């Protein structure tokens, strides 16, 4: 080995020790992961090796944990044919994976021979999708702009806020994720996505997301907690009047569900100081929280950012909704994307929305979310490791703790629980190291919920009997 490669090896080893973002989930180089991979069949392991051989390795993606052969509704199937109820789906699967109506709409659109429209032209599916989103969203959101992905939609939202307010600073939340790219990663609150990139977009301030279970003061009273969190915002606003936007997810990814008071107060602060309130609903839109949009639990933002399930789980698509009064940027480009009005993606988006509507999936999310939370709270009575159960609709998190008093995160246990669940066909994602997140497709049934509860109960029993 040459000296150069030896140095490279040392640097790589140092980087390998840098833990990947806890917020984003389970880690792909642990003993538990190795044992799991060894338990897979030879053909799958072969393809995992091929995958690892050709893709550029990066945290949280390559190497991967399994190979999928197909997806259907709320389920994913691996190469060996094993079926899993997927509780993650990256948030694209609100209408279910491989949704037949969405697939049919995409095929029909292809058969129309209109899969793309060059700039300066429009098409009917794009217009229809824009119109449908305006009708579906809360009153006051009357203008639409599409783009290929969520990170770009965040960029557009912030560009509009900056252009219209004439200000440029931003305030967002620690531990949040809003996408890749310099602006989106700057407003994100995880150093994992910015380390090593040099200067990020300046003027990006961060505060803590209100958290009623875990907060720095050990408080439990909601109003007191809200006030202390709001104070963080007020302090920044006093010193930085040139703030263009406050950007956050209405309910955090973990999830933490803020009080209505909190977002009402933030809305008021924004109104008073001419600041845009931007809600990132890339995960939470389209019924995830038991309403079409999570902002319906709270207040109407100046910009609502959508993505993931906007593509019907079949194609990538994202976009923003904003107010009529902000339609004043005719002289600027704020989202100059090649696929801005893509007819194929628009057809998929329309079919996805129609499906969610036709089969009452928003109501299903609200009802089964309640059912699942109730079942999880019953498990909490049996297992002291469950410190907290939080969520809204089918956006649920189970916080595992070593001790309910200290709330020390049960990180190793969470990982083992995750693999035990996986063995039973329940594919969970761990977030923040110890929170089991549950975000299944909205077309799940009560039986699916019982499957989740049964598997989790067994996994917790096994982890404690080991
Ligand atoms: N915001 C949130 C809340 C997200 O979860 C994501 C994707 N995980 C993004 C933004 C970025 O979206 P995309 O990956 O489509 O760029």
């Amino acid at each position: 080995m040459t000296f150069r490669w030896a140095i490279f090896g040392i640097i790589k080893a140092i980087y390998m020790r840098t833990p990947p973002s806890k917020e984003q989930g389970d880690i792909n180089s642990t003993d538990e992961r190795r044992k799991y991979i060894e338990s897979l069949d030879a053909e799958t392991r072969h393809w995992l090796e091929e995958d690892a051989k050709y893709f550029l390795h990066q945290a949280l993606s390559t190497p991967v944990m399994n190979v999928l052969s197909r997806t259907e509704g709320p389920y994913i199937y691996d190469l060996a044919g094993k079926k899993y109820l997927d509780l993650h789906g990256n948030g694209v699967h609100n209408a279910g994976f491989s949704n037949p109506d969405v697939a049919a709409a995409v095929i029909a659109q292809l058969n129309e021979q209109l899969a793309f429209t060059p700039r300066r032209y429009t098409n009917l599916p794009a217009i229809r999708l824009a119109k449908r989103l305006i009708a579906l969203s809360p009153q006051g959101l009357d203008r639409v702009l599409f783009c290929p992905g969520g990170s770009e939609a965040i960029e557009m939202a912030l560009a509009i806020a900056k252009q219209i307010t004439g200000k440029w600073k931003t305030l967002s939340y620690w531990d949040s994720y809003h996408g890749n790219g310099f602006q989106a990663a700057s407003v994100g609150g995880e150093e994992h996505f910015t380390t090593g990139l040099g200067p990020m977009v300046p003027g990006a301030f961060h505060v803590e997301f209100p958290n009623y279970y875990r907060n720095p003061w050990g408080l439990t009273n909601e109003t007191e907690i809200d006030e202390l969190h709001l104070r963080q915002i007020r302090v920044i606003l006093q010193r930085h009047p040139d703030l263009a936007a406050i950007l956050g997810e209405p309910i955090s990814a973990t999830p933490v569900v803020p009080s209505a008071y909190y977002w009402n107060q933030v809305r008021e602060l924004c109104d008073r100081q001419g600041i845009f309130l931007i809600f990132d609903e890339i995960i939470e839109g389209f019924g995830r929280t038991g309403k079409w949009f999570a902002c319906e639990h709270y207040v109407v933002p100046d910009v609502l950012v959508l993505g993931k399930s906007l593509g019907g789980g079949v194609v990538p698509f994202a976009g923003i909704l904003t107010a009529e009064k902000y339609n004043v940027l005719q002289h600027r480009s704020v989202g100059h994307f090649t696929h801005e009005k893509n007819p194929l993606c628009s057809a998929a988006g329309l079919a996805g929305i129609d499906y969610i509507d036709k089969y009452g999936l928003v109501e299903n999310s609200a009802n089964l979310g309640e059912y699942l939370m109730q079942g999880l709270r019953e498990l909490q009575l049996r297992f002291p490791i469950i410190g907290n159960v939080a969520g809204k609709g089918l956006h649920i998190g189970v916080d595992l703790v070593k001790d309910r008093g200290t709330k020390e995160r049960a990180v190793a246990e969470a990982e083992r629980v995750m693999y035990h669940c996986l063995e039973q066909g329940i594919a969970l994602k761990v977030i923040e190291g110890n929170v089991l997140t549950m975000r299944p497709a909205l077309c799940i049934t009560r039986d699916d919920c019982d499957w989740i509860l049964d598997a989790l109960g067994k996994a917790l029993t096994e982890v404690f009997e080991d």
Side-chain angles (χ1 to χ4, degrees):
M1 192 196 279
T2 64
F3 179 68
R4 204 172 118 234
W5 281 107
I7 295 290
F8 177 70
I10 292 166
I11 293 171
K12 193 173 163 204
I14 291 168
Y15 269 91
M16 297 281 279
R17 276 212 303 277
T18 308
S21 149
K22 278 197 287 132
E23 155 76 13
Q24 287 296 309
D26 41 274
I27 292 163
N28 54 10
S29 59
T30 61
D31 272 358
E32 293 292 331
R33 173 66 73 95
R34 186 185 44 75
K35 276 191 258 168
Y36 175 71
I37 302 283
E38 281 168 8
S39 76
L40 299 170
D41 62 286
E43 194 197 347
T44 301
R45 289 207 310 274
H46 163 75
W47 287 113
L48 288 179
E49 278 165 26
E50 288 281 286
D51 179 273
K53 195 159 138 194
Y54 299 115
F55 283 105
L56 185 71
H57 287 209
Q58 66 164 340
L60 310 164
S61 86
T62 305
V64 290
M65 60 194 288
N66 204 342
V67 186
L68 295 190
S69 58
R70 79 188 179 89
T71 62
E72 187 186 8
Y75 311 115
I76 57 179
Y77 296 80
D78 68 14
L79 218 49
K82 180 165 173 171
K83 173 181 170 180
Y84 303 85
L85 176 56
D86 186 52
L87 305 191
H88 175 225
N90 267 101
V92 307
H93 62 333
N94 286 16
F97 290 111
S98 306
N99 183 292
D101 290 13
V102 178
V106 169
I107 292 166
Q109 191 58 39
L110 281 171
N111 287 335
E112 292 276 319
Q113 298 187 316
L114 186 65
F116 179 75
T117 35
R119 186 167 296 287
R120 299 180 297 128
Y121 297 92
T122 190
N123 59 76
L124 305 194
I127 299 168
R128 287 193 182 120
L129 179 60
K131 191 172 170 186
R132 186 95 162 90
L133 284 171
I134 291 165
L136 208 56
S137 60
Q139 226 179 358
L141 297 170
D142 303 313
R143 290 280 165 177
V144 174
L145 213 47
F146 295 127
C147 61
S151 308
E152 290 138 339
I154 293 288
E155 304 276 331
M156 296 199 303
L158 287 166
I160 291 172
K162 290 181 186 188
Q163 294 280 4
I164 288 177
T165 61
K167 300 184 280 184
W168 58 280
K169 291 177 183 168
T170 60
L171 192 149
S172 46
Y173 294 87
W174 293 121
D175 301 323
S176 63
Y177 180 75
H178 297 294
N180 266 301
F182 280 79
Q183 177 68 82
S186 297
V187 290
E190 298 180 80
E191 69 278 10
H192 177 72
F193 298 99
T194 54
T195 303
L197 292 182
M200 301 301 289
V201 176
F205 296 98
H206 293 81
V207 292
E208 288 160 328
F209 201 78
N211 191 327
Y212 310 108
Y213 181 63
R214 292 181 181 280
N215 57 74
W217 313 282
L219 293 172
T220 51
N221 179 294
E222 218 174 86
T223 316
E224 272 181 307
I225 295 166
D226 280 342
E227 285 305 338
L228 286 165
H229 281 289
L230 288 164
R231 186 176 173 279
Q232 296 187 6
I233 299 183
R234 290 193 189 108
V235 167
I236 292 179
L237 293 193
Q238 264 167 18
R239 286 162 178 76
H240 298 276
D242 44 355
L243 214 73
I246 296 183
L247 181 148
E249 291 181 279
I251 294 171
S252 81
T254 331
V256 173
V257 185
S259 71
Y261 173 77
Y262 177 82
W263 281 125
N264 270 302
Q265 289 294 302
V266 175
R267 178 70 272 183
E268 248 183 73
L269 285 171
C270 288
D271 289 343
R272 214 177 309 141
Q273 302 209 19
I275 297 167
F276 264 53
L277 177 61
I278 302 174
F279 275 163
D280 177 347
E281 292 209 24
I282 288 171
I283 287 184
E284 289 156 11
F286 302 110
R288 171 60 50 203
T289 68
K291 293 199 184 278
W292 270 102
F293 301 100
C295 63
E296 291 170 51
H297 297 288
Y298 301 108
V299 295
V300 182
D302 295 286
V303 184
L304 179 64
V305 187
L306 301 171
K308 296 191 186 275
S309 287
L310 179 59
V314 171
V315 292
F317 214 32
I320 58 159
L321 281 155
T322 191
E324 179 64 37
K325 65 180 172 192
Y326 301 134
N327 185 31
V328 292
L329 293 170
Q330 295 85 340
H331 57 301
R332 297 257 184 256
S333 286
V334 283
H336 188 80
F337 294 106
T338 301
H339 291 283
E340 180 188 333
K341 289 182 184 167
N342 187 294
L344 207 59
C345 300
S346 301
L350 269 171
I353 291 172
D354 283 345
Y355 189 93
I356 291 173
D357 197 15
K358 184 168 156 196
Y359 293 98
L361 298 190
V362 179
E363 296 73 30
N364 201 43
S365 169
N367 296 337
L368 289 186
E370 269 301 313
Y371 180 72
L372 198 50
M373 295 259 288
Q374 184 52 39
L376 290 167
R377 290 202 183 101
E378 279 161 26
L379 284 178
Q380 189 178 17
L381 297 176
R382 280 174 50 203
F383 296 99
I385 192 174
I386 300 185
N388 192 37
V389 175
K392 203 86 173 158
L394 285 170
H395 183 22
I396 298 172
V398 180
D399 194 318
L400 301 187
V401 291
K402 283 182 186 293
D403 177 296
R404 282 194 184 166
T406 64
K407 299 181 186 174
E408 186 186 343
R409 295 178 188 271
V411 173
E413 292 83 351
E415 198 193 12
R416 286 170 58 209
V417 168
M418 183 193 88
Y419 283 108
H420 277 297
C421 284
L422 208 52
E423 272 168 29
Q424 301 172 76
I426 296 295
L428 283 168
K429 188 175 174 225
V430 179
I431 190 166
E432 289 189 2
N434 72 313
V435 182
L436 311 175
T437 55
M438 300 184 178
R439 290 188 224 130
L442 308 186
C443 54
I444 58 164
T445 61
R446 200 176 256 252
D447 284 349
D448 290 321
C449 293
D450 290 337
W451 183 10
I452 297 169
L453 294 168
D454 181 58
L456 182 59
K458 285 186 179 137
L460 289 168
T461 308
E462 277 172 54
V463 164
F464 288 106
E465 280 174 1
D466 275 358

